[in-house]
Amino acid sequence: MSVSTPTMNGEAPVFYVADEHDHPPGQSTLFGFWLYLMSDCLIFAMLFATFGVLGTSYAAGPGPKDLFDLKLVALNTTMLLLSSITYGFAMLEMMKGKVGSTQMWLAITGLFGAAFLSIELYEFHHMIHEGAGPWRSAFLSSFFTLVGTHGLHVTFGTIWLVTLMVQVAKFGLIEANQRRLMCLSMFWHFLDVVWIGVFTFVYLMGVLR
Amino acid sequence: MSADAHAGHGHDDHAHDDGRDHGSFKSYMTGFILSVILTAVPFWLVMTGAIENKNWAIAVIVVMAMVQIVVHMIYFLHMNTTSDAGWTMMALIFTVIVVVIALSGSLWVMYHLNVNMMPVHDMRNMP
């Protein structure tokens, strides 16, 4: 690596990295994806802040105690937590290079993800059916925005998961597919981290308040 | 642990050692069991009302959530100070600082706005 100071012995100064060292393709992908997750984290932080500010503005409408069914939320949380550990198992099988069992664990993860989404959609449908849609109060607007954004992330994560299963089925556990699976792993576990915030601050504290 | 995980697949041909930890069955299970406990206890607390004092109950579930986030970071997201020469950790620390400022700032300012500038409900008690 050269420093950009003119040298005394008559050599032309070099203003760039002269000796390019070896960068294998995709080497910085995981770090780049981590930076994306951090920016995603900021989006969720802003939605949490919005919910924190508006979460008690019921506009004489229904509050958390009337709307939230903690048994359903507990079931939902279980689905997401189980999907996290099954994704972990998929990663461990990937390290061993076993295509079949990797695919099996990925499929189980996808099913847990789909179960989570179904339960969440059922909850949303139930609330909207009772007239507690996002238009009812500031509390419900911020609730649907926050939980809905998380749900959208899980939806896209599930689509991504199916896409990668097709990729693995077609090309096997090649280096590129391993990298993609690691990115999705971070995405999936990150969504579980966000859900910890959701069930604590939105559901549990909402019912306590 | 890291060495075992690396041995099985083709990471050794990388020009840089990325310092990444890919976890093991044991670390995933540790994280999972801790997460189950840290999820079940807050739900149990709130659903049964085991703690009478609401503020204490809120404090307990918030602390458990924080601990669970750290557990997920370590056992599922494999955070450490060596991956990508520490830049992963730097990015995380930066994000946490921004998030803390934004969250606490929003809640603090908006709470005071609510308390000081919206006396609508108290108007009838005014002289």
Side-chain angles (χ1 to χ4, degrees):
Chain A
M1 206 175 294
S2 301
V3 183
S4 60
T5 43
T7 45
M8 294 302 286
N9 52 9
E11 279 177 30
V14 182
F15 294 100
Y16 52 89
V17 178
D19 45 343
E20 190 65 60
H21 54 288
D22 185 31
H23 281 284
Q27 191 221 348
S28 48
T29 306
L30 291 178
F31 180 60
F33 194 77
W34 179 253
L35 290 186
Y36 154 69
L37 285 183
M38 291 297 97
S39 71
D40 221 18
C41 186
L42 294 182
I43 294 181
F44 279 110
M46 293 310 108
L47 294 177
F48 271 111
T50 312
F51 183 83
V53 169
L54 300 174
T56 48
S57 308
Y58 305 129
K65 272 182 195 157
D66 314 313
L67 293 172
F68 296 159
D69 180 4
L70 281 189
K71 278 180 201 148
L72 206 62
V73 182
L75 185 66
N76 228 356
T77 309
T78 313
M79 291 300 142
L80 211 55
L81 198 54
L82 283 172
S83 82
S84 246
I85 189 70
T86 54
Y87 201 104
F89 291 155
M91 292 302 285
L92 291 175
E93 293 303 312
M94 183 197 85
M95 307 294 182
K96 293 179 199 153
K98 292 182 185 164
V99 177
S101 44
T102 307
Q103 293 282 57
M104 185 195 74
W105 285 117
L106 284 178
I108 294 172
T109 309
L111 288 179
F112 278 130
F116 172 84
L117 286 171
S118 313
I119 296 169
E120 188 158 287
L121 282 176
Y122 165 78
E123 188 197 17
F124 281 5
H125 174 80
H126 185 67
M127 284 170 76
I128 290 170
H129 187 70
E130 284 186 333
W135 58 85
R136 181 63 190 82
S137 63
F139 153 65
L140 283 164
S141 301
S142 53
F143 167 80
F144 275 97
T145 314
L146 172 58
V147 183
T149 305
H150 179 269
L152 267 183
H153 275 77
V154 178
T155 311
F156 283 110
T158 312
I159 295 170
W160 188 5
L161 187 125
V162 174
T163 316
L164 282 188
M165 282 180 68
V166 174
Q167 289 260 1
V168 171
K170 234 176 154 175
F171 303 107
L173 288 169
I174 53 173
E175 183 95 17
N177 277 345
Q178 291 199 11
R179 189 171 67 234
R180 290 164 189 150
L181 283 170
M182 278 184 219
C183 282
L184 181 57
S185 164
M186 288 201 277
F187 187 72
W188 201 265
H189 293 310
F190 169 76
L191 289 182
D192 208 2
V193 171
V194 173
W195 185 255
I196 299 170
V198 172
F199 79 71
T200 305
F201 289 99
V202 176
Y203 289 103
L204 293 181
M205 275 170 74
V207 171
L208 269 181
R209 209 155 31 211
Chain B
M1 179 171 67
S2 185
D4 298 341
H6 272 278
H9 61 110
H11 260 257
D12 300 319
D13 52 353
H14 270 190
H16 301 257
D17 181 20
D18 52 13
R20 232 170 246 123
D21 173 20
H22 298 295
S24 62
F25 180 76
K26 202 177 144 210
S27 73
Y28 272 112
M29 281 318 281
T30 314
F32 180 67
I33 289 165
L34 284 174
S35 299
V36 168
I37 295 168
L38 289 165
T39 302
V41 171
F43 269 98
W44 172 79
L45 273 182
V46 175
M47 286 164 97
T48 58
I51 297 181
E52 289 287 314
N53 188 327
K54 269 184 192 178
N55 291 332
W56 273 112
I58 288 178
V60 170
I61 62 172
V62 168
V63 168
M64 290 206 154
M66 303 279 179
V67 175
Q68 199 185 345
I69 288 173
V70 175
V71 165
H72 275 242
M73 286 280 173
I74 293 173
Y75 291 104
F76 291 163
L77 282 163
H78 313 304
M79 279 303 295
N80 57 37
T81 49
T82 51
S83 62
D84 287 299
W87 285 107
T88 319
M89 185 56 94
M90 286 295 263
L92 177 68
I93 292 170
F94 173 71
T95 310
V96 168
I97 291 172
V98 172
V99 165
V100 166
I101 292 173
L103 272 180
S104 57
S106 305
L107 295 177
W108 182 37
V109 169
M110 294 311 285
Y111 172 77
H112 282 274
L113 263 180
N114 272 335
V115 170
N116 295 327
M117 300 188 70
M118 294 174 75
V120 181
H121 297 296
D122 297 331
M123 284 301 264
R124 58 205 153 97
N125 298 329
M126 297 266 176

